[in-house]
């Protein structure tokens, strides 16, 4: 594990007036570059050749400079790391960054300063740790089943790693679980290795919300407050095929048609929540941030708590994304909530750059970079 001291050492060599915001060209990179530019930062896109055209097609969100790599995980190479260090780069890690490079590689061998607390990636990458984080934050969480033999209700079966829902399935009994698992292994949707450690969770029926929080360690809401949890926006993920599965049901029931819902994220849609539920949503964000302090020194910057709200208005939290989520891409010019926080259009990407700028001005970069 690279220590805070090692990153602080790298940072000492930086020209603080010339910080550049860098990330891999994927996931929420357009928004990150766009927001960074709005705050006056130079931007660097680490890009595979096939992606360059997309970024050049949006001049206001294109990075000022491309570093072309054969594959995203090349950022780990000594050559690219020293290039980034020479350019005073600060990395903004997003979901694809973590997936392509690997949480362990980032924590053990990526020397470039990153926005946020890289320890949070360890907690989001391990389902047991993440559920314990939610539990300790006092959130309602779905019931967990240690073994398939315990299944006594509808469950969702998940697999390790940020796989965008690939291979997940629903089961309503032990026998149903065994049958569906076998089928998935045979179809190559789930590896034998992953099949050995399924995460079996109670399926919560309701409406999903994915609120986007930002933990600022530099400003409070009221005088004397040193930090604040901002609820900047929210979205709902669109997952194929489950989110439009009703369309095929014109031809029969799912059982008759032998169709299983799948949960592969294909995009995001805007959503809002009853104002009467906002205190609870804000409280969840605050509790998750407060608990993270005890667990690993605290989350810094953007995160999301994935939840399902049931008909009795209970939010059941089933996942934390401890970094910027792609649902924030809906709001490059700010959201229906950021409008009440900032006079200017404030995306999550811009919010990151704003915090970095403020930290630089206050000589507190070590508090937002690790
Ligand atoms: P995850 O990998 O945990 O983000 O799950 C992927 C998707 O599966 C979510 O976006 C939800 O649509 C669905 N999902 C996950 N867990 C649950 C749950 N406990 N109850 C209902 N739906 C869930």
């Amino acid at each position: 594990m690279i220590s805070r001291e090692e990153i602080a050492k790298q940072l000492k060599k930086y020209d603080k007036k010339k910080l550049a915001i860098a990330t891999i060209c994927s996931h929420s990179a357009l928004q990150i570059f766009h927001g960074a530019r709005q705050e006056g930062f130079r931007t660097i896109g680490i890009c595979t050749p096939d992606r360059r055209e997309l970024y050049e097609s949006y001049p206001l969100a294109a990075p000022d400079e491309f570093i072309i790599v054969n594959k995203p995980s090349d950022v780990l190479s000594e050559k690219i790391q020293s290039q980034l260090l020479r350019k005073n780069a600060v990395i903004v890690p997003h979901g694809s960054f973590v997936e392509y490079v690997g949480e362990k590689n980032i924590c053990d061998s990526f020397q470039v300063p990153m926005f946020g607390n890289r320890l949070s990636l360890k907690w989001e990458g391990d389902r047991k740790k993440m559920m314990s984080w939610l539990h300790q934050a006092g959130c309602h969480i779905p019931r967990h089943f240690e073994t398939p033999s315990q299944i006594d209700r509808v469950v969702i079966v998940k697999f390790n790693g940020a796989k965008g829902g690939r291979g997940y399935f629903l089961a309503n009994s032990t026998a149903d679980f065994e049958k569906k698992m076998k089928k998935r292994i045979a179809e190559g949707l789930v590896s034998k290795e992953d099949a050995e450690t399924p995460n079996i969770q109670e399926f919560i029926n309701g409406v999903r919300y994915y609120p986007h929080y930002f933990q600022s360690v530099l400003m409070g809401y009221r005088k004397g407050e040193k930090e604040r949890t901002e609820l900047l926006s929210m979205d709902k993920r669109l997952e194929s095929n489950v989110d439009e599965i009703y369309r095929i049901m014109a031809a029969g029931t799912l059982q008759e048609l032998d169709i299983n819902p799948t949960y592969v994220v294909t995009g995001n849609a805007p959503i809002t929540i009853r104002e009467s539920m906002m205190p609870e949503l804000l409280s969840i964000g605050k509790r998750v941030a407060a608990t993270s302090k005890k667990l690993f020194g605290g989350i810094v910057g953007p995160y999301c708590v994935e939840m399902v709200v049931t008909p009795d208005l209970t939010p059941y939290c089933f996942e934390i994304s401890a970094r910027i989520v792609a649902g924030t891409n809906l709001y490059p010019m700010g959201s229906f909530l950021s409008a009440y926080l900032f006079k200017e259009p404030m995306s999550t990407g811009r919010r990151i750059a704003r915090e970095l700028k403020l930290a630089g001005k206050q000589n507190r970069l070590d508090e937002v970079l690790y």
Side-chain angles (χ1 to χ4, degrees), residues 12-289:
K12 270 215 176 100
K13 297 182 215 151
Y14 272 27
D15 181 344
K16 313 279 190 314
K17 293 214 166 60
K18 290 193 180 152
L19 293 184
I21 287 186
T23 197
I24 289 176
C25 289
S26 185
H27 191 268
S28 44
L30 287 168
Q31 186 205 155
I32 291 168
F33 297 141
H34 182 244
R37 279 184 168 207
Q38 286 173 311
E39 293 297 307
F41 284 100
R42 213 161 46 79
T43 53
I44 302 170
I46 303 147
C47 193
T48 49
D50 57 318
R51 293 283 176 98
R52 186 171 181 150
E53 191 183 343
L54 170 74
Y55 291 84
E56 286 178 335
S57 305
Y58 291 98
L60 300 183
D64 294 311
E65 183 188 340
F66 284 100
I67 293 181
I68 300 294
V69 291
N70 290 326
K71 52 184 191 311
S73 60
D74 287 351
V75 287
L76 288 170
S77 71
E78 218 183 297
K79 184 176 151 219
I80 306 286
Q81 287 203 45
S82 49
Q83 223 175 326
L84 289 166
L85 290 169
R86 260 201 322 277
K87 292 174 189 287
N88 307 301
V90 165
I91 295 283
V92 175
H94 50 53
S96 302
F97 192 99
V98 179
E99 189 174 342
Y100 295 151
V101 183
E103 158 257 306
K104 198 169 160 16
N105 292 329
I106 294 173
C107 288
D108 292 346
S109 44
F110 194 58
Q111 302 276 349
V112 185
M114 287 172 41
F115 186 84
N117 177 354
R118 69 177 74 195
L119 282 176
S120 67
L121 302 180
K122 277 206 176 307
W123 282 78
E124 80 155 22
D126 179 325
R127 270 192 206 279
K128 263 205 178 123
K129 278 188 161 159
M130 191 232 302
M131 292 314 284
S132 147
W133 179 3
L134 282 171
H135 179 64
Q136 291 182 57
C139 300
H140 293 280
I141 53 178
R143 201 178 147 182
H144 173 75
F145 296 87
E146 278 301 332
T147 68
S149 63
Q150 295 172 333
I151 296 173
D152 63 356
R153 62 194 78 187
V154 180
V155 295
I156 180 162
V157 183
K158 311 185 193 182
F159 301 94
N160 282 329
K163 291 192 176 70
R166 202 164 289 277
Y168 289 16
F169 63 90
L170 299 190
N172 59 17
S173 67
T174 309
D176 191 31
F177 171 95
E178 304 294 0
K179 190 179 92 192
K180 287 175 176 165
M181 182 69 104
K182 251 192 211 147
K183 193 166 175 227
R184 272 167 179 67
I185 297 173
E187 285 168 350
L189 274 173
V190 176
S191 70
K192 283 210 169 112
E193 202 189 345
D194 282 343
E196 274 169 26
T197 50
N199 187 280
I200 309 169
Q201 203 174 68
E202 172 185 13
F203 182 83
I204 308 289
N205 209 6
V207 178
R208 290 166 301 130
Y209 290 87
Y210 301 74
H212 316 142
Y213 300 102
F214 188 95
Q215 185 65 16
S216 171
V217 291
L218 303 180
M219 57 171 95
Y221 283 114
R222 285 160 284 262
K223 241 191 172 173
E225 278 179 0
K226 293 202 172 79
E227 335 194 339
R228 72 186 205 184
T229 304
E230 297 168 7
L231 175 51
L232 282 178
S233 48
M234 56 186 92
D235 77 296
K236 183 165 94 163
R237 291 190 188 157
L238 296 176
E239 293 163 344
S240 184
N241 58 19
V242 69
D243 284 326
E244 298 218 17
I245 209 160
Y246 59 89
R247 302 186 73 215
I248 202 166
M249 285 163 71
T253 67
L254 295 182
Q255 247 169 350
E256 282 163 9
L257 300 170
D258 191 24
I259 286 179
N260 270 299
T262 51
Y263 296 83
V264 179
V265 183
T266 64
N268 307 78
I271 195 168
T272 184
I273 200 161
R274 294 164 64 135
E275 200 159 300
S276 59
M277 286 210 65
M278 296 261 306
E280 177 59 8
L281 239 60
L282 207 53
S283 168
I284 288 171
K286 280 186 186 169
R287 288 176 349 234
V288 163

Side-chain angles (χ1 to χ4, degrees), residues 28 31 212 233 235 268 324-332 347-349:
S28 44
Q31 186 205 155
H212 316 142
S233 48
D235 77 296
N268 307 78
I324 186 170
V325 288
T328 59
N329 289 345
L330 287 160
Y331 311 108
S347 67
T348 295

